Amino acid sequence: MANKTASGGDVLDPGNSSKNTLKLENTEKRDTLIAIEKRYQAKWQESGMFHATAPTTSEVPIGSISSAELRKKHPKSHANFAYPYMNGSLHVGHSFTASKVEFTTGFARMQGKRALFPLGFHCTGMPIKACADKLTEEVRKFGQKFEHYEEEAELADALPAPTQAVTKEDITKFTSNKSKAAAKTVKLKHQFQIMLALGIPREEIHKFADSAYWLKYFPPLCKQHLDSFGARIDWRRSFVTTDANPYYDSFVRWQMNRLKDLDKIQYGIRYTVYSPKDGQPCMDHDRTEGEGVAPQDYTAIKLKVKEWAPKAAELIRGKLPDSAIVYFVPATLRPETMYGQTCCFVGPKINYGIFKVSADEYYVVTKRAAWNMAFQGTFFKSDAFPRNANELVPAIEFPGSAVVGTLVSAPLSVHTQGVRILPMESVLPNKGTGVVTSVPSDSPDDYATVIELAKKAEYYGIQKEWAELEILPIIETPAYGNLAAPFLVKKLKINSPKDAKQLSEAKDLAYKEGYYKGKMLVGAFKGESVEAAKPKVREALLKSGEAFEYAEPNGNVVSRSGDECIVAYLGQWFLNYGENDPQWRDQVVDYVRNDMELYYPEAKNQLERTLDWLNRWACARTYGLGSKLPWDPRFLVESLSDSTIYPAYYTISHFLHSDIFGTQRGLLDIKPDQMMDEVWDYLFCRQEFSEDLVKKSGIKRSDLETMRREFEYWYPLDMRVSGKDLIGNHLTFCLYVHTALFPHEYWPQSMRVNGHLLLNGEKMSKSTGNFLTLDDAVKKYGADATRVALADAGDGIEDANFEETVANQIILRLHTLKEWSEEVIRDQNLRTGKSDVFWDQLFENELNGLVHDAEQHYEATNFKLALKSALYDFTSARDFYREATAAAGIGMRRDLVLQYIELQALVVTPIASHWADYIWSEPASIQLALWPQVPLPQPHLTAAREYVRHTSSSITSAEGTQLKKKEKGKSIAFDPKLPKRISIFAAISYPAWQEKYIGLVRANFDRLTLSLDDKSLGPQIAKMGEVKKAMPFVQGLKRRLQAGESDDLVFNRKLAFDELDVLVQMRAGLKKTTGCIEVEIVALDEGGASGKVVGGDRNEEKRGGLPPVAQAAVPGNPTFHFENVKTTE
């Protein structure tokens, strides 16, 4: 069998998914770094470096101090990310999320905390089972090695196209617009092709027809890839979910039992997204398309046929009994507007069916809508749902054009004589029932269509008067009067039903204004607000039998088995999230608003919105992998419901089992059947110890206390990291169940969500060849370069970007820094002796500042900024020091260079841990080292350092500008290529005009926040009329204050350093960098017209007749003047 499509693309080649990523040529430096990484990874694994353990009960006896006091006395960090699903390898997007935990854990260790980073393997749900079943069928069909498969003309997409986007109609409902299907889906027709594209050897694929094999294959691969990444994971605590691990199975069953005991799990009949093929609800993680899609409730109105159009009458003659009562059934979200019905629309090119409901009752709808109704008690009973659409056969099928002109009675309509069925080109076959009732008074689409039909009646094959029934006011609105639709169509200049953009806007405006501010003008609820009347009108229609409830997915949903899902009304077990348990919901809302750390306001807002709309959630299914529902073993616990509090299981899992399947006992000799519900209650602090518990479980008291200690210590969870797409389900469920089952002190402390990861600025996609697995990245760039690129990718909730050029550049940076460090350590010519050299002081002070900056950024989990301080700025500081001391002719001081190397290794340890351990070169790993304790930076040295940078930059820029002018043939003040000298003018005192701005800044400066009120300051400066020269001066004061200089120094017109002394220190370096034969520093007299030389052979010499530029100098901002000089040979 060829692995190519008809067009010749190598779609089944595992390397195809990354074909358009960066290609590396010379890999010698990378290979050197990878060899180092492998060496240290082996050392870490052999020593159990990342095994984290709570203080034992012998160290701190149970009951001697509270759990809160224990955690305070022995600081800890417990962070994790959502355990990955085991149907493939981790990609760099997973790794991006994992890296946040990885860097956090690394830094926590350096803070002296016991740091736990555990990871399990999620296998619950449909995906694995669905794929395994597909392979079973394909092996039967094509042979064990798929040798009987014949290449088709082209490989079809695995999923149907998404439905057409439509305007959101029900403004009272929140919908979550998120789907990762495009990123996840390999667009190949057969499952075995997908496995080939994943790199599974052809002869191995048949083994995956057994779902249990997936659990054996992918978890070790996941561990291997994370180990090669250098992850600080305590693998002793790992496990697979489902009943494949009897200990975890016991934990899940306990969880469900206790939630049911608390009445958080209930049984009821409700609408849910459902897969007919699978015969069960299809929740978010059971889907390949449609994550976040929920049931949309409609009111289905029954429009009884009074008189068939001639063509329709001929069509149905003899095919329905004479006693048949037929209803056209539009589905509406606005039952309160039914008083204004003037016609009913069908799509003329859409196929409809007449479906039998009972002996004499029939409905006209699309087959798609009838298929939804079939699972809502309309055509089939709930205990006899169909599995195949062929079981639902219409009595008659016809195009919509065949029934145009049919007269129907419209419930509540003021037109009691009946309304006509009319054509509407924009009716969607995949939304609602395909039948649309028309209310032109309040629906801009309907109004635009009836106007069009009346204008072109002959063209549409209708009688003009059918489209010209009187449009009566039914709702009064403050903004648009009592005929909102005609008003908006005119206002927005809508000329045709084809003006889709304007109609969409008009529709939203009319609906919002009508719902929130409208008042009913007709009907039984006249005078009431629309918001109050809407449910009453609906209830009246349902009660009278003129309408019934109908629901369908509010978007396209495809299950993992490839089934297009519908909405079913059926009995099911559900978690009672949301408005039906307001006390539970409000408890979570209060915790989110007042106690949780969510890092970003956007995350908090999204979580609060989710809590506002999230409702009952089906927690059981009949198909897939998982744990059986304890009280109803026909059902399995759904995948998002068995993964809410599993971080608690991490705390004790290593005591129960030593392998991921629970086949081998753990550190304590405990059997699965001993883990009864009462044991879990005790371990998780839901009940206190009793001797009866020992008797019933057979577990020793000391063992019970050992496990409880681990839970009490490692909980609460300090940080939960997830992609932002999990806010709408997983993270919210996590909070709900924690608050229900655990005492308050054990609720999660923080949740850190991140955006999705772009690759090279583009969305990751296998089909475009822009895709990298974690294994790909580590093999291509090495672990540390990959880790640095992930840190560099970004930190906020917005999408981040893994840039391969960054990873490639980091290889060179780390390798060069390694070689330099090794070389300089061997260099016996480095300076020794006194440590009072100006450049030494600047360098050491800058390193101290960067250590503190990096610490703050790590603490705030701003890893991109931490990387900047810890690597980029650190090496820049070294470069400046090296160049400055070389220019000054003194060279670097040995002990300071060694201090730099030590600090450099320490501050990058959380991110580039392998490189850091190599550079550390101590017997004890750097993974055991603490964060360096260095003095705070001294403001006067920091200010001097910035002065040196700014002054040096200004001088070299000026010289460069002259050189460019010369090259372009322009006139120049001096020729940079000829012998030259530079005079630097330093002012001793400030100009008098600046005094008033000092007072202004002083009045607007906040000492506590080190901030200036710029909004207030700007207009005040503008009034003084000197903005051009005043604003730079004010901003300079601001920078000094925010850099930590005392306000006394700044406001009393004092520099934090001796400017003249610094310039003298700079002289040798400037002479070298500018190529000047002479560098003269002049201390100016007041006014700047004269001064005296400072330092050098001409110290104290007077200078008069200075160039005008001298007068522009102010303290801290010198000016300078180049001039060519003659030299004597």
Short mmCIF file of all heavy atoms in Angstrom, two decimals, residues 1074-1114:
data_model
loop_
_atom_site.label_atom_id
_atom_site.label_comp_id
_atom_site.label_asym_id
_atom_site.label_seq_id
_atom_site.Cartn_x
_atom_site.Cartn_y
_atom_site.Cartn_z
N THR A 1074 36.38 55.29 20.93
CA THR A 1074 36.18 56.35 19.93
C THR A 1074 37.39 56.54 19.03
O THR A 1074 37.28 57.14 17.97
CB THR A 1074 35.88 57.70 20.63
OG1 THR A 1074 37.02 58.06 21.46
CG2 THR A 1074 34.64 57.61 21.49
N GLY A 1075 38.55 56.04 19.47
CA GLY A 1075 39.76 56.23 18.69
C GLY A 1075 40.34 57.62 18.83
O GLY A 1075 41.19 58.05 18.02
N CYS A 1076 39.85 58.38 19.82
CA CYS A 1076 40.36 59.74 20.02
C CYS A 1076 41.78 59.69 20.59
O CYS A 1076 42.10 58.84 21.42
CB CYS A 1076 39.45 60.51 20.98
SG CYS A 1076 37.85 60.94 20.27
N ILE A 1077 42.58 60.64 20.15
CA ILE A 1077 43.94 60.70 20.70
C ILE A 1077 43.93 61.40 22.05
O ILE A 1077 44.90 61.32 22.80
CB ILE A 1077 44.92 61.40 19.73
CG1 ILE A 1077 44.48 62.85 19.48
CG2 ILE A 1077 45.01 60.63 18.42
CD1 ILE A 1077 45.48 63.63 18.65
N GLU A 1078 42.81 62.12 22.32
CA GLU A 1078 42.72 62.81 23.60
C GLU A 1078 41.26 62.87 24.03
O GLU A 1078 40.36 63.12 23.21
CB GLU A 1078 43.29 64.23 23.49
CG GLU A 1078 43.33 64.97 24.82
CD GLU A 1078 43.94 66.36 24.69
OE1 GLU A 1078 44.46 66.67 23.59
OE2 GLU A 1078 43.84 67.13 25.66
N VAL A 1079 41.02 62.61 25.31
CA VAL A 1079 39.68 62.76 25.90
C VAL A 1079 39.82 63.72 27.06
O VAL A 1079 40.55 63.46 28.03
CB VAL A 1079 39.13 61.41 26.41
CG1 VAL A 1079 37.80 61.62 27.12
CG2 VAL A 1079 38.96 60.43 25.26
N GLU A 1080 39.15 64.88 26.93
CA GLU A 1080 39.27 65.92 27.96
C GLU A 1080 37.92 66.11 28.64
O GLU A 1080 36.89 66.24 27.97
CB GLU A 1080 39.74 67.23 27.33
CG GLU A 1080 40.02 68.32 28.35
CD GLU A 1080 40.68 69.52 27.71
OE1 GLU A 1080 39.96 70.41 27.21
OE2 GLU A 1080 41.94 69.55 27.68
N ILE A 1081 37.95 66.14 29.97
CA ILE A 1081 36.73 66.33 30.75
C ILE A 1081 36.79 67.72 31.36
O ILE A 1081 37.77 68.10 32.02
CB ILE A 1081 36.62 65.27 31.86
CG1 ILE A 1081 36.55 63.88 31.22
CG2 ILE A 1081 35.40 65.52 32.73
CD1 ILE A 1081 36.83 62.76 32.19
N VAL A 1082 35.71 68.49 31.12
CA VAL A 1082 35.67 69.88 31.58
C VAL A 1082 34.52 70.06 32.55
O VAL A 1082 33.36 69.81 32.21
CB VAL A 1082 35.52 70.86 30.39
CG1 VAL A 1082 35.47 72.29 30.90
CG2 VAL A 1082 36.65 70.67 29.40
N ALA A 1083 34.86 70.50 33.78
CA ALA A 1083 33.83 70.84 34.77
C ALA A 1083 33.43 72.29 34.54
O ALA A 1083 34.27 73.21 34.63
CB ALA A 1083 34.37 70.65 36.18
N LEU A 1084 32.18 72.54 34.20
CA LEU A 1084 31.74 73.86 33.76
C LEU A 1084 31.49 74.80 34.94
O LEU A 1084 31.01 74.39 36.01
CB LEU A 1084 30.45 73.73 32.94
CG LEU A 1084 30.56 72.94 31.64
CD1 LEU A 1084 29.18 72.71 31.04
CD2 LEU A 1084 31.47 73.65 30.64
N ASP A 1085 31.81 76.05 34.69
CA ASP A 1085 31.40 77.10 35.61
C ASP A 1085 29.92 77.38 35.37
O ASP A 1085 29.34 76.95 34.36
CB ASP A 1085 32.22 78.37 35.36
CG ASP A 1085 33.71 78.15 35.63
OD1 ASP A 1085 34.02 77.29 36.49
OD2 ASP A 1085 34.53 78.81 34.96
N GLU A 1086 29.29 78.11 36.26
CA GLU A 1086 27.87 78.44 36.09
C GLU A 1086 27.67 79.21 34.79
O GLU A 1086 28.44 80.12 34.46
CB GLU A 1086 27.39 79.28 37.28
CG GLU A 1086 25.88 79.46 37.27
CD GLU A 1086 25.37 80.09 38.55
OE1 GLU A 1086 26.14 80.19 39.52
OE2 GLU A 1086 24.19 80.46 38.58
N GLY A 1087 26.68 78.81 34.04
CA GLY A 1087 26.40 79.42 32.74
C GLY A 1087 26.98 78.64 31.59
O GLY A 1087 26.49 78.74 30.47
N GLY A 1088 28.04 77.84 31.80
CA GLY A 1088 28.57 76.94 30.80
C GLY A 1088 29.50 77.56 29.79
O GLY A 1088 29.91 76.90 28.83
N ALA A 1089 29.87 78.84 29.98
CA ALA A 1089 30.75 79.48 29.00
C ALA A 1089 32.21 79.17 29.25
O ALA A 1089 33.06 79.32 28.36
CB ALA A 1089 30.54 80.99 29.00
N SER A 1090 32.53 78.73 30.48
CA SER A 1090 33.91 78.42 30.82
C SER A 1090 33.95 77.28 31.81
O SER A 1090 32.91 76.84 32.33
CB SER A 1090 34.60 79.65 31.43
OG SER A 1090 33.94 80.03 32.64
N GLY A 1091 35.18 76.78 32.11
CA GLY A 1091 35.30 75.67 33.05
C GLY A 1091 36.75 75.31 33.23
O GLY A 1091 37.66 76.02 32.76
N LYS A 1092 36.98 74.17 33.90
CA LYS A 1092 38.36 73.73 34.10
C LYS A 1092 38.45 72.23 33.87
O LYS A 1092 37.50 71.47 34.06
CB LYS A 1092 38.84 74.08 35.49
CG LYS A 1092 38.09 73.43 36.62
CD LYS A 1092 38.66 73.87 37.97
CE LYS A 1092 37.89 73.22 39.12
NZ LYS A 1092 38.43 73.61 40.44
N VAL A 1093 39.61 71.82 33.40
CA VAL A 1093 39.86 70.42 33.07
C VAL A 1093 39.94 69.61 34.36
O VAL A 1093 40.50 70.07 35.37
CB VAL A 1093 41.17 70.28 32.26
CG1 VAL A 1093 41.47 68.81 32.00
CG2 VAL A 1093 41.07 71.06 30.97
N VAL A 1094 39.39 68.39 34.29
CA VAL A 1094 39.43 67.48 35.44
C VAL A 1094 40.24 66.26 35.04
O VAL A 1094 39.95 65.59 34.04
CB VAL A 1094 38.01 67.06 35.88
CG1 VAL A 1094 38.09 66.06 37.04
CG2 VAL A 1094 37.19 68.27 36.28
N GLY A 1095 41.29 65.95 35.83
CA GLY A 1095 42.07 64.75 35.60
C GLY A 1095 43.05 64.90 34.46
O GLY A 1095 43.06 65.88 33.70
N GLY A 1096 43.91 63.92 34.32
CA GLY A 1096 44.88 63.91 33.24
C GLY A 1096 46.03 64.87 33.46
O GLY A 1096 46.19 65.49 34.51
N ASP A 1097 46.83 65.06 32.41
CA ASP A 1097 48.02 65.90 32.50
C ASP A 1097 47.68 67.38 32.66
O ASP A 1097 48.50 68.16 33.13
CB ASP A 1097 48.89 65.70 31.26
CG ASP A 1097 49.40 64.27 31.15
OD1 ASP A 1097 49.46 63.60 32.21
OD2 ASP A 1097 49.72 63.83 30.03
N ARG A 1098 46.48 67.78 32.25
CA ARG A 1098 46.12 69.20 32.29
C ARG A 1098 45.10 69.49 33.39
O ARG A 1098 44.29 70.39 33.29
CB ARG A 1098 45.56 69.63 30.93
CG ARG A 1098 46.58 69.47 29.82
CD ARG A 1098 45.96 69.72 28.47
NE ARG A 1098 46.93 69.50 27.40
CZ ARG A 1098 46.61 69.54 26.10
NH1 ARG A 1098 45.37 69.76 25.73
NH2 ARG A 1098 47.55 69.35 25.18
N ASN A 1099 45.11 68.70 34.41
CA ASN A 1099 44.17 68.86 35.51
C ASN A 1099 44.20 70.30 36.06
O ASN A 1099 45.28 70.88 36.22
CB ASN A 1099 44.54 67.88 36.63
CG ASN A 1099 43.49 67.86 37.73
OD1 ASN A 1099 42.30 67.89 37.45
ND2 ASN A 1099 43.93 67.79 38.98
N GLU A 1100 42.98 70.85 36.24
CA GLU A 1100 42.78 72.19 36.79
C GLU A 1100 43.04 73.31 35.78
O GLU A 1100 42.86 74.49 36.11
CB GLU A 1100 43.65 72.43 38.03
CG GLU A 1100 43.38 71.50 39.20
CD GLU A 1100 42.01 71.74 39.83
OE1 GLU A 1100 41.54 72.89 39.84
OE2 GLU A 1100 41.38 70.75 40.28
N GLU A 1101 43.45 72.99 34.56
CA GLU A 1101 43.63 74.06 33.56
C GLU A 1101 42.28 74.70 33.22
O GLU A 1101 41.25 74.02 33.12
CB GLU A 1101 44.25 73.49 32.27
CG GLU A 1101 45.73 73.29 32.35
CD GLU A 1101 46.32 72.95 30.97
OE1 GLU A 1101 45.61 73.14 29.95
OE2 GLU A 1101 47.47 72.48 30.92
N LYS A 1102 42.29 76.02 33.06
CA LYS A 1102 41.08 76.75 32.72
C LYS A 1102 40.77 76.61 31.23
O LYS A 1102 41.67 76.50 30.41
CB LYS A 1102 41.26 78.24 33.05
CG LYS A 1102 41.44 78.54 34.52
CD LYS A 1102 40.12 78.40 35.28
CE LYS A 1102 40.28 78.87 36.73
NZ LYS A 1102 38.99 78.79 37.45
N ARG A 1103 39.47 76.62 30.95
CA ARG A 1103 39.01 76.58 29.56
C ARG A 1103 37.95 77.66 29.38
O ARG A 1103 36.98 77.74 30.15
CB ARG A 1103 38.41 75.22 29.21
CG ARG A 1103 39.44 74.10 29.12
CD ARG A 1103 40.27 74.22 27.85
NE ARG A 1103 41.20 73.10 27.73
CZ ARG A 1103 42.44 73.10 28.18
NH1 ARG A 1103 42.91 74.18 28.80
NH2 ARG A 1103 43.22 72.07 28.03
N GLY A 1104 38.15 78.50 28.39
CA GLY A 1104 37.18 79.54 28.07
C GLY A 1104 36.80 79.45 26.61
O GLY A 1104 37.37 78.68 25.84
N GLY A 1105 35.81 80.25 26.20
CA GLY A 1105 35.38 80.25 24.81
C GLY A 1105 34.89 78.89 24.36
O GLY A 1105 35.16 78.45 23.23
N LEU A 1106 34.18 78.21 25.25
CA LEU A 1106 33.70 76.85 24.95
C LEU A 1106 32.60 76.88 23.89
O LEU A 1106 31.86 77.88 23.76
CB LEU A 1106 33.18 76.20 26.23
CG LEU A 1106 34.21 76.03 27.36
CD1 LEU A 1106 33.56 75.41 28.59
CD2 LEU A 1106 35.39 75.15 26.89
N PRO A 1107 32.48 75.83 23.13
CA PRO A 1107 31.43 75.79 22.10
C PRO A 1107 30.03 75.88 22.73
O PRO A 1107 29.85 75.52 23.91
CB PRO A 1107 31.65 74.44 21.43
CG PRO A 1107 32.41 73.62 22.41
CD PRO A 1107 33.27 74.59 23.17
N PRO A 1108 29.03 76.34 21.98
CA PRO A 1108 27.68 76.52 22.53
C PRO A 1108 27.10 75.25 23.16
O PRO A 1108 26.30 75.32 24.09
CB PRO A 1108 26.86 76.94 21.30
CG PRO A 1108 27.85 77.55 20.38
CD PRO A 1108 29.13 76.79 20.59
N VAL A 1109 27.51 74.09 22.65
CA VAL A 1109 26.94 72.84 23.17
C VAL A 1109 27.23 72.68 24.66
O VAL A 1109 26.50 72.00 25.38
CB VAL A 1109 27.49 71.63 22.37
CG1 VAL A 1109 28.96 71.40 22.69
CG2 VAL A 1109 26.70 70.38 22.67
N ALA A 1110 28.28 73.28 25.16
CA ALA A 1110 28.64 73.16 26.58
C ALA A 1110 27.53 73.69 27.47
O ALA A 1110 27.29 73.18 28.56
CB ALA A 1110 29.95 73.89 26.85
N GLN A 1111 26.84 74.72 27.02
CA GLN A 1111 25.81 75.36 27.85
C GLN A 1111 24.57 74.48 28.01
O GLN A 1111 23.73 74.76 28.87
CB GLN A 1111 25.43 76.72 27.24
CG GLN A 1111 26.61 77.69 27.19
CD GLN A 1111 26.24 79.00 26.51
OE1 GLN A 1111 25.10 79.48 26.62
NE2 GLN A 1111 27.19 79.59 25.80
N ALA A 1112 24.45 73.45 27.21
CA ALA A 1112 23.28 72.55 27.31
C ALA A 1112 23.48 71.46 28.35
O ALA A 1112 22.55 70.71 28.66
CB ALA A 1112 23.00 71.92 25.95
N ALA A 1113 24.68 71.36 28.89
CA ALA A 1113 24.94 70.30 29.87
C ALA A 1113 24.22 70.59 31.18
O ALA A 1113 24.11 71.75 31.61
CB ALA A 1113 26.44 70.18 30.12
N VAL A 1114 23.71 69.55 31.81
CA VAL A 1114 23.13 69.63 33.15
C VAL A 1114 23.69 68.47 33.95
O VAL A 1114 24.16 67.47 33.37
CB VAL A 1114 21.58 69.55 33.12
CG1 VAL A 1114 20.98 70.75 32.42
CG2 VAL A 1114 21.12 68.25 32.46
#
